[in-house]
Structure formats: C-alpha cells, structure tokens
Amino acid sequence: MNPSLSRNSLAWAVALPPLIILALFFVVPLGYLLFISFMTNSATSLFDVQPTLANYTEIFSDSFYWLIIQRTLLSTAVVLILCLLLGYPAAFYAAHLSPRGRLIMLMIMMVPLMVSNVVRAYGWFAILGRRGVLSGTLTGTGIIERPVQYLYSFEAVTLGLLTILLPFMVVSLTNSLATIDKHYTEAAHSLGAGPWRTFLRVTLPLSSPGIASGLMLVTFLALSAYVSIALLGGPRYKLLVSMVFDSVSTFRWPRAAALSFVLLLIAFIIAIVIQLVVRPQRVQGKA
Amino acid sequence: MNTQAPSMINADVRFTRVEKKFDTATALHSLDLEIERGSLFALLGPSGCGKTTTLRLIAGFEQPTSGHVYIRGNDVTGVPAYKRSFGMVFQSFALFPHLTVAENVAFGLKMRNVSKADIVTKVAAALDLVELGKLGERYPRQLSGGQQQRVALARAVVFEPDVLLLDEPLSALDKMLREQMQVEIRHLQQRLKMTTVFVTHDQEEALTMSDRVAVMKDGRIQQAGTPREIYDRPRTEFVATFLGASNILEAIVKGKDGTGTILDIAGNTLSVAGVTAEAGAKLCFALRPEKISIGSMDGNQPGGIAASVREAIYRGAQTLLYLDINGMPVNAVVQNAGVEPMNLEPGAAVRLHWDNDNMVALEPAR
Amino acid sequence: MSAFILRLVVGIVLALVIGPILVVIIAAFSSGESLSFPPPGFSLRWFIEFFSIAQMRNAFMLSIVLAIASACGAAAVGLLGAIYVSRNRNAFSVMLQMLIMAPLVFPALILGLALLLLYKTVNMSVLPGLFIAHVVVCLPYAFRSVLTSLQSFDTTLEEAGQSLGAGPVRSFLLITMPIIWPGVLSGWLFAFVVSFGELNTALFLTGPGIVTLPIEIFSYLQFQGNQLVVAAASALQVLIILIVLFLAERLVGARQIVQR
Ligand SMILES: Nc1ncnc2c1ncn2[C@@H]1O[C@H](COP(=O)(O)OP(=O)(O)OP(=O)(O)O)[C@@H](O)[C@H]1O
Ligand SMILES: [Mg+2]
C-alpha cells in the first residue's frame, strides 16, 4: 500500500468522482423509483404524492400478471438450463484446449457478446420470420407448403435469449474451469476414479463458482432483455419486462416502477435459488 | 534496551522512542536508534522482527504511531517519503521496466530539477562507478540479476542522498554473486562515505559488511554494537545463538573467592571474573564452540573438564563435536591441524579446556 | 463417443451464437429487394441506402461520438475508482467496488426508467442525460480492466519513484501510467464497444433527433420493416466492433481482451 497516495485527502480526491456519479445517477434514481412505486398514478404529472400499496397489490391480484410472471419464470428457467447444458461442454472443451486455442475460442465468444443485442435479435428475426431463412428453406425443399411464422412464440423468445446469453455462460465457465488445478483431477485418477466420476466428484464441484456466477449473470440479463423479447415475442408473447415498457408507454409511471421492483424481486429470488442449488461457497477460496 | 547511549553529535539517523502499530500487531516497541554519519549500519534479525518496518520509517513510507524520526538532525516525522533525502535499493530492485538504465538512474536527478547537462555527466559517472558504463541504453529486462542490482545501486546514490537504505538487497542473487556484491557495496559505501542502513537476516553478511550491527527481535533492538562486540560479547541468549553457534551453559552460583565468582556447571566447579550474583542464583553463559579445545584422557594435558563424545562430524577444515558433560550437551569445533586424526569415536572420553574469559554472562531472557 | 458429443455441442453452441450474426451480414450484402435466402446476388446497395437515410446516418454518427465520449468518461472515472480500490482495503473500498460493478448485472431497462424519471423531474436535457447513462453502464467494464492491471502492478515501483523524490501524482503519471496503460486502453475499448451497442438503458433516454444506432435499428424493425437497410445497419455495427477488436488485439494483445 502506498502511504502517500492513501493519505486521506488524495485518496478522497480519487474516490469521489466515481462515488458521486454512482450516487447521483445510480443510487438516487433507484431510490426515487422505489419511492414512486408507492405513489398514486396521475393523469397530469409523473405521480401524485399519495402513498399507496395499490401498484403492488394490483399486480399480485391480477391473474394476467400472474400468467406473465409464470411465463417469465418458465422461460428464464429453460434458458438457464439450456445455457448450462450447452455452455458447460463448450467451456469444458475450451478449457482443455491449448492456451492459444482457448484464446481463439474466447475471442469467438467475445465478438457476439459485444455486438448489440438488437443485431443478434434481428438475426433470429431474419431466420425465423415468415419470409425468413428457415421458412424459405423448408418451403423450397417442399417440407412445408406455405411459409410459416416461427416468431412471436415461447420457442422464439427462448432461443433468442439463449443465444444472446450463451457467450456469457461460456466465458464465465471457461475461465473457472481453466483455473482448476490439473493436480486435483490427477489426484482423483490416482485414487482410482474414472473420467466420469472424476468429473462428477471433482471437476464439477470445483467449477461451481463459475457455474453460479454465470447463471446469475444470465438470470439478470434474461429478465431484462426487453428488446430481444419484444422483437422475437412480438405483441403476442410478452414477459414481465415488456409490462414495464408497456406501462411506460401508457405513462403509468408508478405502475412501471412497481413492476420494476417485482422484476428485481424475482431476479433476487432466482439468484438465491441458484446459490442454494449450486452452493459455490463450498469451494470458494480454494479453486 | 533501556541503556541509552549518549547522543552522537553527528547521527545521520536517529529514532527516539519510535513505536509502530499496525491494525493487528505492534511492529516496533519504543525503539531508540542512532546511526553515525558515514557508517554502514546493519539491521539483523529473524523474519517478522521489524527490520523492514524500521527501514520504511526512515524512508517515510510508514509513519510512526508515536515517537520521532530525525535525519541529519531534522525532525522528519510526518514528512512524506518524496520530500526526504534518501536513496533506496529494494529487495526486488524495483527498476522501472519502461525506462532505460540511464533513464532509471537519471530519474532522481530529474525530480530534483538538475540541469540536462549535469544529468548526463552524473549518470555517466554513476554508471561508471558500478562498472556499467556501456549499458545505459539497455532496458532492465535485458540485464542479468547482478547488473540490475548495480543499476539499482547507481540510481540510489546518484543524487547524493543523506542516507542510503538497502532492504535485503542481495537476497535475489545467487551465493557467488552475493558474496561479490557484499564486497562491492562495502567498497562503494566507503568510497562515497554515505550513511547506509542495511537490512538482512543473514548474520554472516551483517558481520562482514557493517560498522555496526543492531540485532532485533519482536520489534525491539536486543543489542547494538560493532560486529566484534556483538559476536564476542552477546548480551542475551538470543543474540548469542542468532549470530553463529553458541553453547549456553547453565550455572549455579556457589559463592565468591579472591578472583571472582565460583560457579557449578554440571558438577564442575569454575571461577569466573566480572560477574556479580548472590550464592544460589542461576546464571547462563554463552560459550562459542570454537573457544573450546580438546585434550584426550591419556594424561599429557591435565586439568580441564571431563566429557564424552556423542558424535563427531568431519567437515574438512574442522571437526564438529557433539559432547556430553555429565548429561549437559556441549558443542565444540576443532581445527583439523594435525596429520594424525584424533580418536574421537562415540563414547571416547576427552577433557575440555577453555579460557573462562570467553564465557559471557547473559542477561535473563525478557 | 463422449468426445464426439462434446464436439457436437461445441458446434451447436458456435452455430447458435454466430449463426444469427452471419445471417445478418449475408443479408446486408444482398442485391434483392427484400429478405430472401439465398440472396439473389451481391451488392452494396443497402449500405448506400443506409447512408442516404438521414435518420440512420445521424444515428450512426451520434453512436460513434457518444461511444467515444462515454468511453473516455468511463475510463477516466473507472481509473480513479480502480486507484482507490486497489490501494485501500477497507469497508468503503469494498462498497465502492460493488457500487461501480453493480450496473454490470443490474437490469438496464430499469436503470433507464429510473434515470428517465429523475431526468424528467430535474428537467435534464436529452444529450447529457444519455451521455451520463452510457458512462454509468460502461463504467464496470472500464473499471474492471484497469483494476486488473493495477492489482498486478508492483507498488514498490511507485515507492522507488518516491524514494527518488517524485510525489504521489508525479510517480503515478511517470511510473504507474506507462506500465498500466494497456489495461486503461482495453478498458476504454471495452467501454466504447458497450456504449456503441447499448440498448436497454438508452431505450427510454433518447429524444427527438437524438437517437443512437441500436435504438434506430430497433424502431425500424418494429415500425418500418424495410429490413435490408436494417441488415446493413447491423452489419456496420458488427464491422465497427471488429475494427475495435482488431485495434485492441494490435495495441494490447488478445489476452487483455478476453480476461474478464
Ligand atoms: N502493512 C502491515 N500491516 C500489518 N502488519 C504489518 C505490516 N507490515 C508489517 N507488519 C507486521 O509487522 C511485523 C514486522 O514486519 P517487518 O516487515 O518489519 O518484518 P521484517 O523484519 O522485515 O521481516 P522479513 O525478514 O520477513 O522481511 C510483522 O509481524 C508483520 O506482520
Ligand atoms: Mg523485510
């Protein structure tokens, strides 16, 4: 530690700009949003200063919202499971490549990760749409007779979210798997465990921090990927985040605020479930 | 030590009752220290005893929790490192990897706004001093460990600081290079007459290089003095055993006679001068193994103390003997001077001789 | 057998991840009137069309300028935060780090909504509001990149600087910066890319005449439907990112980019 730099005045000078920016433009607005979620809807201004729980009670007493919440949970769960089932082998493969090969694999994953979500959603739009690649190929080969609309369905949304979020999972898992000391698996082999048992008893538990952090990242991003959901689900297949957007379009700010916090609540519940199931803390600090 | 030496007039570094606490531990307990101008002063001690902390307090990288630090008579307590005048050689050398050797050496001069022309001549002179005159354009990574060490040294002395600080500067070098650099640093220091503080946990290094040595333990200076004083007249058991090997003889005071105190050591009666103690008191004495000489039992060397050999280890120039005086273990080192090997089989009976002046009474452990 | 399955899964993953982007790029070079596969021929007409639509052109320019500005902002603020966090181990430093990293996982749409309400209340104008939102969203990327390189920086080098008489600011500028700049640069590039593709926060924060390229693409897709212009716009988006990644690889090496 550097005594002169960690001297109070200078240290504060360094810490203040990020602190101020995040306080003013992250903490304050979210606090304000929480405040608004307990205010009354207003036709003329953002809200009426009249404390109420109505925004929340209306959501939870409306069977439509329950349907949306169920749907959101279902699609998130499917995305999480598929991300793990597809991402883990890919990461396992990448982690066992040479350092150079792993670098290339990670680069291939990074490019899509950086491309805007709207572009990637548009890709699926172009594939799954009525005049898209899939429909076109299938009619061309005579498998189906008329062009079919594959968009605006559970499958389309799930597929879109899955492909957008897979790279996050693969990158997170690859880094976690690549840092597992080879000696652990060698030790397991020396003790007579075959490849499968070594994987199940040693590698998998040791990679649990990577699994947990990857799944949590995917959860938060899947729940809030409005644009992808809007493009691929259309007006027919909406998730909770679409409800937030719709409330904004109709200027019902307190309702939008309340829906936001319901969404956050769901995200935290899923995150806790992930922690409980994956139990990363059992190896944290060791792997 | 509470025995405070009279203040030197030209002490370049002085600590008065310096205490340093970290969140979890106290690294230094009320330390008093004086380092004479132009001398090479070694801080010696086991890991964690506070040597680096002492050095960093001189540098100003740490500030004392209480007490004062003086450099050249000025109270520099609270003054940040970059406003003090010292050069430092770091354990890892800490050469700036993005600067050439010459730029590294010039850095301290630039910070002091020395003119361009002066910088060129001074850098060249400093590099010549460490015999690296031709390597100014290289980058640190293109140098060997020993060369990097010299660059670090040149960088630390080129702006003629008041004090030169070295934190285990030789620990990154192999044994051969280390011994060579010990001599070079000593010569350089003597030529520049620069007050130098040197941290090491290698007792041989401390003895060969320094004018004065301070032996530290648990944040306290156990003893400070010239290498000879420290080695020949250790004050505590810790100092006696940390610097070289030493036998610790436990003695019971029997009484007095005309010349000194009568002691009982493992059933043998000895008389030692210069010790004051009540009859019945227990004392400990340090006795270096090489001060003991061996006579065999066959009677041509009468007197001495009877002992038996437990094990003899041949070491080329010397033989190391593990001996037993009535159950008390004692080690001795004998020079292999004779042509005929001595009979030192395990179990052999021998007689031990030493000059009682070589027995150093130790202060009770604190 | 299991090796085969492993490769198969890798293939599926790559196809799923890259496929949609490839389709977009191929479609962008189509000479046809509308989306059809395979494209009837190769042409650049949709790129020309793209630049002839003022809205698209402006959105593209705005996105570039905004990405540069917010990358600079995020890199500067992230650098300061990383300096504090790397040198102080206390509760505040842990809190600051969590706060800076929070926008990385925090649902962007909700942050956008919260900022919108704040901006409406304090009458913030569109462009500065959008800029600040982008800085907040890009900050974690820039911060993390700088922090990684500061943490591997040997602070005794700075102490060496101070022992030679350089004050804290000078030793930071003369010693630390020249050594950690790859981290700062890759943080800047990360922030640029994130800002350039940022969508869910900006959704609520754009205004009349001030629309970023991703939002423009999105509203075209929703309301217009002349999709091959959108394909060209998307291909340009990908192109810019490839250029940035290429530059990054050249300047700081691939390792800096993928270490997350
Ligand atoms: N920054 C710090 N924070 C907390 N404790 C410290 C710090 N620096 C040193 N200490 C503690 O102070 C004591 C003295 O440390 P110091 O580094 O001075 O020892 P040393 O004699 O140089 O040891 P070594 O030979 O291992 O380098 C140790 O117990 C150490 O743990
Ligand atoms: Mg030390």
Coordinates of all heavy atoms in Angstrom, one line a residue, chain B residues 298-351:
Chain B
D298 N 44.6 -39.3 28.0 CA 45.8 -40.1 28.3 C 46.8 -39.4 29.2 O 48.0 -39.8 29.3 CB 46.4 -40.7 27.0 CG 46.6 -39.6 26.0 OD1 46.5 -38.4 26.4 OD2 46.7 -39.9 24.8
G299 N 46.4 -38.2 29.8 CA 47.2 -37.6 30.8 C 48.3 -36.6 30.4 O 48.8 -36.0 31.3
N300 N 48.5 -36.4 29.1 CA 49.5 -35.4 28.8 C 49.0 -34.0 28.9 O 49.7 -33.0 28.8 CB 50.2 -35.7 27.4 CG 49.1 -35.9 26.4 OD1 47.9 -35.7 26.6 ND2 49.5 -36.3 25.2
Q301 N 47.7 -33.8 29.1 CA 47.1 -32.5 29.4 C 46.2 -32.6 30.6 O 45.1 -32.9 30.5 CB 46.3 -32.1 28.1 CG 47.0 -30.9 27.4 CD 46.0 -30.4 26.3 OE1 45.4 -31.2 25.6 NE2 45.9 -29.1 26.1
P302 N 46.8 -32.3 31.8 CA 46.0 -32.5 33.0 C 45.0 -31.3 33.1 O 45.0 -30.4 32.3 CB 47.0 -32.4 34.1 CG 48.1 -31.6 33.5 CD 48.1 -31.8 32.1
G303 N 44.1 -31.4 34.0 CA 43.1 -30.4 34.3 C 42.0 -30.5 33.3 O 41.8 -31.5 32.6
G304 N 41.2 -29.4 33.2 CA 40.1 -29.4 32.2 C 38.9 -30.1 32.8 O 38.8 -30.6 33.9
I305 N 37.8 -30.2 31.9 CA 36.6 -30.8 32.4 C 36.3 -32.1 31.6 O 36.5 -32.1 30.4 CB 35.4 -29.8 32.1 CG1 35.6 -28.6 33.1 CG2 34.1 -30.4 32.2 CD1 34.6 -27.5 32.9
A306 N 35.9 -33.1 32.3 CA 35.7 -34.4 31.7 C 34.4 -34.4 30.9 O 33.4 -33.8 31.3 CB 35.6 -35.5 32.7
A307 N 34.5 -34.9 29.7 CA 33.3 -35.0 28.8 C 33.5 -36.3 28.0 O 34.5 -36.9 27.9 CB 33.2 -33.8 27.9
S308 N 32.4 -36.7 27.4 CA 32.4 -37.8 26.4 C 31.9 -37.4 25.1 O 31.0 -36.5 25.0 CB 31.6 -39.0 27.0 OG 30.3 -38.7 27.1
V309 N 32.4 -38.1 24.0 CA 32.0 -37.7 22.7 C 30.7 -38.5 22.4 O 30.6 -39.7 22.6 CB 33.1 -38.2 21.7 CG1 32.6 -37.9 20.2 CG2 34.4 -37.4 22.0
R310 N 29.7 -37.7 21.9 CA 28.5 -38.4 21.4 C 28.6 -38.6 19.9 O 28.2 -39.7 19.4 CB 27.3 -37.5 21.7 CG 26.8 -37.8 23.1 CD 25.4 -37.2 23.3 NE 25.4 -35.8 23.2 CZ 24.5 -35.1 22.6 NH1 23.5 -35.7 22.0 NH2 24.5 -33.8 22.5
E311 N 29.1 -37.6 19.2 CA 29.2 -37.8 17.7 C 30.2 -36.8 17.2 O 30.4 -35.7 17.8 CB 27.9 -37.5 17.1 CG 27.8 -38.1 15.7 CD 26.4 -37.9 15.0 OE1 25.5 -37.4 15.7 OE2 26.3 -38.1 13.8
A312 N 31.0 -37.2 16.2 CA 32.0 -36.3 15.6 C 31.6 -36.2 14.1 O 31.4 -37.3 13.5 CB 33.4 -36.9 15.8
I313 N 31.6 -35.0 13.6 CA 31.2 -34.9 12.2 C 32.4 -34.2 11.5 O 32.8 -33.1 11.9 CB 30.0 -34.0 12.0 CG1 28.8 -34.8 12.6 CG2 29.7 -33.7 10.6 CD1 27.5 -34.1 12.6
Y314 N 33.0 -34.9 10.5 CA 34.1 -34.4 9.8 C 33.7 -33.3 8.8 O 32.8 -33.6 8.0 CB 34.8 -35.6 9.1 CG 36.0 -35.2 8.3 CD1 37.2 -34.7 8.9 CD2 36.0 -35.2 6.9 CE1 38.3 -34.4 8.2 CE2 37.1 -34.8 6.2 CZ 38.2 -34.4 6.8 OH 39.3 -34.0 6.1
R315 N 34.3 -32.1 8.9 CA 33.8 -31.0 8.0 C 35.0 -30.5 7.1 O 35.0 -29.4 6.8 CB 33.4 -29.9 8.9 CG 32.0 -30.0 9.4 CD 31.0 -29.3 8.5 NE 29.7 -29.3 9.0 CZ 29.2 -28.3 9.9 NH1 30.1 -27.4 10.2 NH2 28.0 -28.3 10.3
G316 N 36.0 -31.4 6.8 CA 37.1 -30.9 6.0 C 38.1 -30.1 6.9 O 38.9 -30.7 7.6
A317 N 37.9 -28.8 6.9 CA 38.8 -28.0 7.7 C 38.7 -28.2 9.2 O 39.6 -28.0 10.0 CB 38.6 -26.5 7.4
Q318 N 37.4 -28.4 9.6 CA 37.2 -28.6 11.1 C 36.5 -29.9 11.3 O 36.0 -30.6 10.4 CB 36.3 -27.5 11.6 CG 36.8 -26.1 11.4 CD 35.8 -25.3 10.6 OE1 34.7 -25.7 10.3 NE2 36.3 -24.1 10.2
T319 N 36.5 -30.3 12.6 CA 35.6 -31.4 13.0 C 34.6 -30.8 14.0 O 35.0 -30.0 14.9 CB 36.4 -32.5 13.6 OG1 37.3 -33.0 12.7 CG2 35.5 -33.6 14.1
L320 N 33.4 -31.1 13.8 CA 32.3 -30.7 14.7 C 32.0 -31.8 15.7 O 31.8 -32.9 15.3 CB 31.1 -30.4 13.9 CG 29.9 -29.8 14.7 CD1 30.2 -28.5 15.4 CD2 28.7 -29.6 13.6
L321 N 32.1 -31.4 17.0 CA 32.0 -32.4 18.1 C 30.7 -32.2 18.9 O 30.5 -31.1 19.4 CB 33.2 -32.4 19.0 CG 34.5 -32.9 18.4 CD1 35.6 -32.6 19.4 CD2 34.4 -34.3 18.1
Y322 N 29.9 -33.2 19.0 CA 28.8 -33.2 20.0 C 29.3 -33.9 21.2 O 29.6 -35.1 21.2 CB 27.6 -33.9 19.4 CG 27.0 -33.1 18.2 CD1 27.3 -33.5 16.9 CD2 26.1 -32.1 18.4 CE1 26.8 -32.8 15.8 CE2 25.6 -31.4 17.4 CZ 25.9 -31.7 16.1 OH 25.4 -31.1 15.0
L323 N 29.3 -33.1 22.3 CA 29.9 -33.7 23.5 C 28.9 -33.7 24.7 O 27.8 -33.1 24.5 CB 31.1 -32.8 24.0 CG 32.2 -32.6 22.9 CD1 33.0 -31.4 23.2 CD2 33.0 -33.9 22.9
D324 N 29.3 -34.3 25.7 CA 28.3 -34.5 26.9 C 29.1 -34.3 28.1 O 30.1 -35.0 28.4 CB 27.8 -36.0 26.8 CG 26.6 -36.2 27.6 OD1 26.6 -35.7 28.7 OD2 25.7 -36.8 27.1
I325 N 28.8 -33.3 28.9 CA 29.4 -33.1 30.2 C 28.4 -33.5 31.3 O 27.5 -32.7 31.6 CB 29.8 -31.6 30.5 CG1 30.7 -31.1 29.3 CG2 30.6 -31.5 31.8 CD1 31.1 -29.7 29.4
N326 N 28.5 -34.6 31.9 CA 27.6 -35.1 32.9 C 26.1 -34.9 32.5 O 25.3 -34.4 33.2 CB 27.8 -34.3 34.2 CG 29.0 -34.8 34.9 OD1 29.5 -36.0 34.6 ND2 29.6 -34.0 35.8
G327 N 25.8 -35.2 31.2 CA 24.5 -35.1 30.7 C 24.1 -33.8 30.1 O 23.1 -33.6 29.5
M328 N 25.0 -32.7 30.2 CA 24.8 -31.5 29.6 C 25.4 -31.4 28.2 O 26.6 -31.7 28.1 CB 25.3 -30.3 30.5 CG 25.1 -28.9 29.9 SD 25.7 -27.6 30.9 CE 27.4 -27.7 30.7
P329 N 24.6 -31.2 27.2 CA 25.2 -31.2 25.8 C 26.0 -30.0 25.5 O 25.6 -28.9 25.9 CB 24.0 -31.3 24.9 CG 22.8 -30.7 25.7 CD 23.2 -31.0 27.2
V330 N 27.1 -30.2 24.9 CA 28.0 -29.0 24.5 C 28.6 -29.3 23.2 O 28.9 -30.5 22.9 CB 29.2 -28.9 25.6 CG1 30.2 -27.9 25.1 CG2 28.6 -28.5 26.9
N331 N 28.7 -28.3 22.3 CA 29.3 -28.5 21.0 C 30.7 -27.8 21.0 O 30.9 -26.8 21.6 CB 28.5 -27.9 19.9 CG 27.1 -28.5 19.9 OD1 26.8 -29.5 20.5 ND2 26.2 -27.8 19.1
A332 N 31.6 -28.4 20.2 CA 32.9 -27.8 20.0 C 33.3 -28.0 18.6 O 32.8 -28.9 17.9 CB 33.9 -28.5 21.0
V333 N 34.1 -27.1 18.2 CA 34.7 -27.2 16.8 C 36.2 -27.2 16.9 O 36.8 -26.3 17.6 CB 34.3 -25.9 15.9 CG1 35.0 -26.0 14.6 CG2 32.8 -25.9 15.8
V334 N 36.8 -28.2 16.4 CA 38.3 -28.2 16.4 C 38.8 -28.2 15.0 O 38.3 -28.8 14.1 CB 38.8 -29.5 17.2 CG1 38.4 -29.4 18.7 CG2 38.2 -30.8 16.6
Q335 N 39.9 -27.4 14.9 CA 40.6 -27.4 13.6 C 41.3 -28.7 13.4 O 42.0 -29.2 14.3 CB 41.7 -26.2 13.6 CG 41.0 -24.8 13.8 CD 40.1 -24.5 12.6 OE1 40.4 -24.8 11.5 NE2 39.0 -23.8 12.9
N336 N 41.3 -29.1 12.1 CA 42.0 -30.4 11.8 C 43.4 -30.0 11.4 O 43.7 -30.0 10.2 CB 41.3 -31.1 10.6 CG 39.9 -31.6 11.1 OD1 39.6 -31.8 12.3 ND2 39.0 -31.7 10.1
A337 N 44.2 -29.7 12.4 CA 45.6 -29.2 12.1 C 46.5 -30.4 12.0 O 47.5 -30.3 11.2 CB 46.0 -28.3 13.2
G338 N 46.4 -31.4 12.9 CA 47.3 -32.5 12.9 C 47.3 -33.4 11.7 O 46.3 -33.4 10.9
V339 N 48.3 -34.2 11.5 CA 48.3 -35.2 10.5 C 47.5 -36.4 10.9 O 46.7 -36.9 10.1 CB 49.8 -35.6 10.1 CG1 49.8 -36.5 8.9 CG2 50.6 -34.4 9.9
E340 N 47.7 -36.8 12.1 CA 47.0 -38.0 12.6 C 45.6 -37.6 13.1 O 45.5 -36.6 13.9 CB 47.8 -38.6 13.8 CG 49.1 -39.2 13.5 CD 48.9 -40.5 12.7 OE1 48.1 -41.3 13.2 OE2 49.5 -40.7 11.7
P341 N 44.6 -38.3 12.7 CA 43.3 -37.9 13.2 C 43.2 -38.3 14.7 O 43.8 -39.3 15.2 CB 42.4 -38.8 12.4 CG 43.2 -39.9 11.8 CD 44.6 -39.4 11.7
M342 N 42.5 -37.5 15.4 CA 42.3 -37.7 16.8 C 41.4 -38.9 17.0 O 40.5 -39.2 16.1 CB 41.7 -36.5 17.5 CG 42.7 -35.5 18.0 SD 41.9 -34.2 19.0 CE 41.2 -33.2 17.7
N343 N 41.5 -39.6 18.1 CA 40.5 -40.7 18.3 C 39.2 -40.0 19.0 O 39.2 -39.7 20.1 CB 41.1 -41.7 19.3 CG 40.0 -42.7 19.7 OD1 39.0 -42.9 18.9 ND2 40.2 -43.4 20.8
L344 N 38.2 -39.8 18.1 CA 37.0 -39.2 18.6 C 35.8 -40.1 18.3 O 34.8 -39.6 17.9 CB 36.9 -37.8 18.0 CG 38.0 -36.8 18.4 CD1 37.9 -35.6 17.5 CD2 37.9 -36.5 19.8
E345 N 36.0 -41.4 18.5 CA 34.8 -42.3 18.4 C 33.8 -41.9 19.4 O 34.1 -41.5 20.5 CB 35.3 -43.7 18.6 CG 36.3 -44.2 17.6 CD 35.7 -44.3 16.2 OE1 34.6 -44.8 16.1 OE2 36.4 -43.8 15.2
P346 N 32.5 -42.2 19.0 CA 31.5 -42.0 20.0 C 31.8 -42.8 21.3 O 32.2 -44.0 21.3 CB 30.2 -42.6 19.4 CG 30.5 -42.4 17.9 CD 32.0 -42.6 17.7
G347 N 31.6 -42.1 22.4 CA 31.9 -42.8 23.7 C 33.3 -42.5 24.2 O 33.6 -42.7 25.4
A348 N 34.2 -41.9 23.4 CA 35.5 -41.6 23.8 C 35.5 -40.6 24.9 O 34.7 -39.6 24.8 CB 36.4 -41.2 22.6
A349 N 36.4 -40.7 25.9 CA 36.4 -39.7 27.0 C 37.5 -38.7 26.6 O 38.5 -39.0 26.1 CB 36.8 -40.4 28.3
V350 N 37.1 -37.4 26.8 CA 38.0 -36.3 26.5 C 38.0 -35.3 27.6 O 37.1 -35.4 28.5 CB 37.6 -35.6 25.2 CG1 37.8 -36.5 24.0 CG2 36.1 -35.1 25.3
R351 N 39.0 -34.4 27.6 CA 38.9 -33.3 28.5 C 38.8 -32.0 27.8 O 39.4 -31.8 26.7 CB 40.2 -33.3 29.4 CG 40.3 -34.6 30.3 CD 41.3 -34.3 31.4 NE 40.6 -33.7 32.6 CZ 39.9 -34.3 33.5 NH1 39.8 -35.6 33.4 NH2 39.4 -33.7 34.5

